[in-house]
Structure formats: C-alpha cells, structure tokens
Amino acid sequence: MHFDHYGGEAARLAADLVNLTAPPLPEHLEPLLAAHGVVHRALTATQAETIWTWSRRLAACFGRQDLEERCQTVNTLLAEASSSPRISLHDGRPHLHYSATGADAATHIRAITAAGLAYVVCSADADRLGRCARRDCRLAFVDTSRNGRRTYCSVRCANNDAVARHRERHQTAARPSAAHQ
C-alpha cells in the first residue's frame, strides 16, 4: 500500500500519537514528527498539550468498529481540524495542503492526521485502522500489508501471542481431567 505524506503517512502519525502513554514534552514530539515527514515541528508546551488532547480523540478511530461510526468520528475530527484544502507547488510538484498558510504546528498536525485517517478510510479500507490483537498490548496501527489482514501491531506481538497460545494449549492438555481422577 503506497502512502504519501498527507495520506497514509499522516494516518501512521495519528497511530503513533494515539500510542503515546503520557503527555509529551515538545522536545519528545519532534523526533516522532520528523520521522513522519512533518516539516514544521517545533512546538510550544501549550501546543504539545493540544497534540496530547488531540491524540486521545484520534484513538476512537482505531480498532474494530462499525463503518458508519468510524466515518462519523473521522468527519467530526475533520470538521474540527481542517481549513480549506489547497494545492501547493512549493516544492515544484502539485500536492494538497490541509492547513492554512502560516498555521502553527499543532494546527497543521491536527489537520493532517484527520485528513490521513480520512484518506485510509476512503482510499484503502477502514479496517486498516487497527488495534493490536494481543491482549496485553492494544496499540493502534495502520495496516500497510498487501492483503489488509494484519491483526498485530508488530511481528514481536504476533510471536508473543502465538507463544502464549501455545503454552496455554499445552498447560490445558497437561492438566488431568476430572473424568480421569
């Protein structure tokens, strides 16, 4: 699945923001934003708090849910975060910008993450906005697999879950049943 900065890559940023476990400091957000191609990523403490609050709202878009419910949630985020999309040529190639020229970094991040989620729902499959199936994990992820059937956030979680299921089966099989006692 091909992702550009304003499409799936922004949805992957949304998943990473959802997976934050505590309100981040601005300097902790900068490497995350850089990894997802966000150019204007210098945030104030207030903007970092805005992104933390926003990330808690993004969380509702991930995991199994009714398509209509997911679309309504994404539409609400789009309405709150978007300005008028426009075509930009600043790098010589036409592409969409979802925040107004001169918008602060937090406003830009809100706009691109909402648009990125909408892109995945409309251009790929809403079920690609997943939650890890491992009971002790539940991290949000964007399924970029070819067949769109990923259920774990990582290979590590898939392997850990497989080992846990294997051990559970063998422990159950090793227990004497009441009929044999």
Side-chain angles (χ1 to χ4, degrees):
M1 190 170 169
H2 172 70
F3 283 159
D4 63 12
H5 173 69
Y6 284 113
E9 190 60 39
R12 289 174 34 178
L13 170 59
D16 284 347
L17 292 173
V18 167
N19 293 334
L20 293 172
T21 57
L25 297 172
E27 57 269 20
H28 295 147
L29 278 174
E30 282 192 46
L32 174 68
L33 298 173
H36 290 286
V38 176
V39 176
H40 302 291
R41 56 186 173 266
L43 299 171
T44 65
T46 301
Q47 290 169 329
E49 178 65 32
T50 297
I51 296 304
W52 168 252
T53 302
W54 182 249
S55 73
R56 303 306 85 189
R57 306 231 5 254
L58 294 170
C61 298
F62 290 87
R64 292 206 173 274
Q65 59 190 270
D66 175 72
L67 179 60
E68 191 172 320
E69 177 185 341
R70 188 184 323 258
C71 289
Q72 181 57 47
T73 302
V74 173
N75 279 335
T76 299
L77 294 172
L78 283 168
E80 292 177 23
S82 67
S83 58
S84 299
R86 67 190 198 304
I87 299 172
S88 173
L89 290 168
H90 70 81
D91 65 357
R93 299 187 59 181
H95 61 276
L96 287 172
H97 276 209
Y98 291 94
S99 59
T101 303
D104 68 47
T107 300
H108 176 72
I109 292 163
R110 289 176 63 213
I112 65 170
T113 52
L117 294 173
Y119 171 85
V120 171
V121 169
C122 294
S123 299
D125 181 354
D127 289 336
R128 287 184 179 261
L129 300 175
R131 290 273 183 182
C132 186
R134 192 173 132 232
R135 186 178 20 232
D136 297 333
C137 182
R138 306 296 298 151
L139 287 177
F141 65 89
V142 178
D143 181 357
T144 59
S145 68
R146 176 175 276 172
N147 68 5
R149 303 220 192 299
R150 188 170 140 198
T151 56
Y152 295 94
C153 69
S154 66
V155 171
R156 183 178 186 172
C157 270
N159 289 341
N160 287 345
D161 204 37
V163 168
R165 287 191 316 271
H166 174 78
R167 288 179 180 160
E168 188 175 298
R169 277 193 306 272
H170 284 301
Q171 287 174 349
T172 302
R175 287 187 204 128
S177 67
H180 294 284
Q181 292 180 356

